[in-house]
């Protein structure tokens, strides 16, 4: 309709316009008839286009209400918006009613936010599958004092003993960290690297998640002689000027070793026993508890259990480091500082 009116309006305007002076003399009735015929053809084409568009359009163009100046679609949209706001208001008014969902298990929290030693409970150990042992045919008789019973041919570890031994290990780790000792966390099984690194970072120690090199303790000067050392103060700030003295000193040995899989690292545990280094390890029903100094009877095949124990021990080391720094601020040193002998040059006074 708009197209037709535009064509008619412009056609009449063109027809009524007087021709220019140079052309007016040449205008004739033949030219006027030709213009009217072209206008008629244009009107017919416009009608045909409008008919085609009306046939192809599925929805007719809505009419505008003269009173509200809106279309029916806009009115329906306003009703939908009003209904939405009413539902939101009802949800806000009734949000405090009913029950709330309890927190559920999130696996990443054992790495990002591990529990502290005070959070050790039997339900927590049970949920991490710490009570599951090996088949009765694979058990080590020296673990009989840690076994609660047998279920479906599998030994069940007593969680009371696990909790007690884990708390004792936490006190050991915390005491070593408080006295400025070097703690080494070892876990060489697949997927144990993240929990090992995180525990060592919390306790301010070292970590090892690859194969243990035999002789790293008994023959450490040859294997680890290229490793660099540094001198720090009571606030762990490096002190420069001792590079030459450190070259002639033997390599450092850990003051405590935490092993998460003793079966694969029995060589390391043997070297620690030869040098009097205390060890903490997860002992399953098929392992020998005499390999470590402070055994923790638990399921070493469960990654969740290993992450729980490593995180708790890391938190214990973090607590020990915090107490050591607090005493250092008060001027108390919790460990015996190392004495360096300054060599006098020949011919000196």
């Amino acid at each position: 309709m708009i197209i037709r009116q535009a064509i008619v309006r412009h056609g009449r305007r063109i027809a009524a316009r007087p021709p220019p002076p140079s052309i007016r003399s040449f205008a004739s009735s033949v030219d006027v008839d030709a213009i009217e015929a072209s206008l008629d053809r244009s009107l017919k084409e416009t009608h045909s286009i409008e008919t085609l568009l009306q046939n192809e359009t599925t929805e007719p163009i809505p009419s505008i209400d003269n009173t509200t100046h809106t279309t029916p679609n806009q009115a329906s949209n306003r009703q939908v918006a009003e209904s939405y706001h009413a539902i939101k208001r009802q949800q806000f008014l009734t949000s405090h009613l009913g029950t709330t969902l309890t927190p559920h298990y999130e696996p990443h929290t054992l790495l990002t936010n591990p529990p502290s030693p005070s959070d050790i409970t039997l339900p927590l150990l049970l949920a991490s599958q710490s009570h599951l042992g090996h088949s009765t045919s694979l058990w080590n008789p020296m673990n009989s004092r840690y076994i609660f019973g047998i279920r479906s041919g599998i030994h069940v570890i007593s969680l009371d003993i696990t909790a007690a031994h884990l708390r004792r290990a936490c006190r050991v780790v915390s005491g070593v960290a408080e006295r400025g000792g070097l703690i080494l966390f070892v876990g060489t099984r697949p997927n144990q690297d993240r929990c090992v690194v995180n525990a060592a970072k919390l306790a301010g120690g070292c970590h090892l998640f690859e194969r243990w090199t035999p002789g790293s303790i008994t023959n450490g000067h040859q294997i680890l002689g290229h490793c660099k050392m540094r001198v720090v103060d009571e606030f762990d700030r490096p002190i420069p000027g001792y590079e030459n003295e450190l070259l002639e000193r033997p390599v450092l040995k850990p003051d405590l070793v935490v092993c998460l899989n003793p079966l694969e690292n029995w060589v390391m545990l043997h070297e620690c026993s030869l040098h009097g280094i205390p060890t903490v390890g997860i002992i399953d029903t098929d392992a020998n508890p005499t390999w470590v100094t402070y055994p923790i009877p638990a399921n070493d095949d469960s990654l969740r259990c290993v992450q729980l124990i490593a995180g708790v021990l890391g938190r214990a080391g973090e607590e020990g480091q915090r107490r050591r720094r607090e005493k250092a601020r008060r001027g108390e040193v919790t460990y015996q500082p190392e004495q360096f002998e300054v060599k006098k040059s020949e011919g000196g006074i």
Side-chain angles (χ1 to χ4, degrees):
M1 182 65 67
I2 297 174
I3 298 174
R4 184 179 62 186
Q5 292 177 358
I7 293 174
V8 171
R9 189 185 305 114
H10 288 286
R12 291 175 180 175
R13 193 174 297 172
I14 292 172
R17 182 182 303 173
S22 59
I23 304 176
R24 187 178 304 172
S25 58
F26 298 100
S28 61
S29 60
V30 178
D31 296 334
V32 174
D33 296 339
I35 293 172
E36 291 180 354
S38 63
L39 289 176
D40 293 337
R41 288 195 299 271
S42 300
L43 289 176
K44 292 180 182 179
E45 292 178 358
T46 303
H47 284 296
S48 62
I49 292 173
E50 288 182 355
T51 305
L52 182 61
L53 291 176
Q54 290 293 339
N55 294 333
E56 292 181 355
T57 303
T58 56
E59 297 182 358
I61 300 175
S63 58
I64 299 177
D65 192 358
N66 295 327
T67 58
T68 60
H69 301 283
T70 59
T71 61
N73 292 335
Q74 294 178 352
S76 61
N77 293 337
R78 185 181 294 108
Q79 294 178 358
V80 171
E82 292 176 354
S83 301
Y84 174 77
H85 290 299
I87 292 174
K88 285 297 181 181
R89 178 174 175 79
Q90 189 70 17
Q91 291 178 355
F92 175 75
L93 295 176
T94 59
S95 59
H96 64 282
L97 302 177
T99 58
T100 57
L101 297 177
T102 57
H104 56 281
Y105 168 63
E106 296 179 354
H108 61 84
T109 55
L110 293 177
L111 296 174
T112 58
N113 188 22
S116 61
S118 59
D119 298 331
I120 300 174
T121 58
L122 298 185
L124 180 61
L125 295 174
L126 181 65
S128 61
Q129 302 175 357
S130 303
H131 62 290
L132 298 178
H134 283 274
S135 176
T136 55
S137 60
L138 301 176
W139 81 307
N140 192 315
M142 302 188 70
N143 289 321
S144 59
R145 59 181 180 272
Y146 306 141
I147 296 176
F148 177 79
I150 300 174
R151 181 66 180 270
S152 301
I154 297 176
H155 278 125
V156 179
I157 302 173
S158 177
L159 294 181
D160 292 328
I161 299 176
T162 302
H165 283 67
L166 182 56
R167 294 189 183 99
R168 182 183 66 173
C170 289
R171 290 194 296 270
V172 172
V173 174
S174 178
V176 173
E178 184 179 359
R179 289 165 177 81
L182 180 60
I183 305 176
L184 175 62
F185 288 84
V186 180
T188 57
R189 287 186 180 178
N191 301 324
Q192 288 185 356
D193 50 353
R194 295 184 61 187
C195 62
V196 170
V197 173
N198 185 60
K201 186 182 299 183
L202 291 175
C206 303
H207 61 270
L208 174 67
F209 52 83
E210 295 179 351
R211 176 180 175 271
W212 171 265
T213 303
S216 298
I217 296 178
T218 57
N219 194 20
H221 184 71
Q222 297 293 332
I223 298 177
L224 303 176
H226 63 280
C227 297
K228 295 182 179 180
M229 293 184 291
R230 63 178 182 177
V231 180
V232 296
D233 58 3
E234 62 272 13
F235 296 102
D236 296 337
R237 294 175 299 192
I239 302 176
Y242 292 92
E243 289 78 7
N244 296 330
E245 288 78 3
L246 293 176
L247 294 176
E248 300 179 359
R249 293 184 58 83
V251 295
L252 291 177
K253 296 179 182 179
D255 298 294
L256 179 66
V257 176
V258 178
C259 184
L260 303 180
N261 53 331
L263 289 178
E264 291 83 357
N265 297 291
W266 62 271
V267 176
M268 178 197 65
L269 298 176
H270 180 65
E271 294 182 15
C272 292
S273 63
L274 292 177
H275 288 262
I277 300 174
T279 55
V280 177
I282 301 177
I283 299 299
D284 210 333
T285 56
D286 60 341
N288 190 350
T290 60
W291 286 356
V292 296
T293 311
Y294 303 99
I296 303 176
N299 182 12
D300 62 349
D301 297 316
S302 174
L303 183 60
R304 183 175 176 182
C305 175
V306 172
Q307 291 178 350
L308 173 64
I309 294 176
V312 170
L313 296 178
R315 287 293 188 188
E318 183 183 27
E319 179 66 20
Q321 295 286 352
R322 185 187 62 81
R323 292 200 301 266
R324 181 179 64 83
R325 295 189 185 95
E326 289 181 356
K327 292 181 179 180
R329 295 188 187 97
R330 298 195 300 265
E332 302 178 10
V333 181
T334 58
Y335 56 91
Q336 183 66 29
E338 189 72 18
Q339 300 294 334
F340 289 92
E341 296 181 0
V342 179
K343 296 183 180 181
K344 297 181 180 180
S345 60
E346 296 181 359
I349 299 175

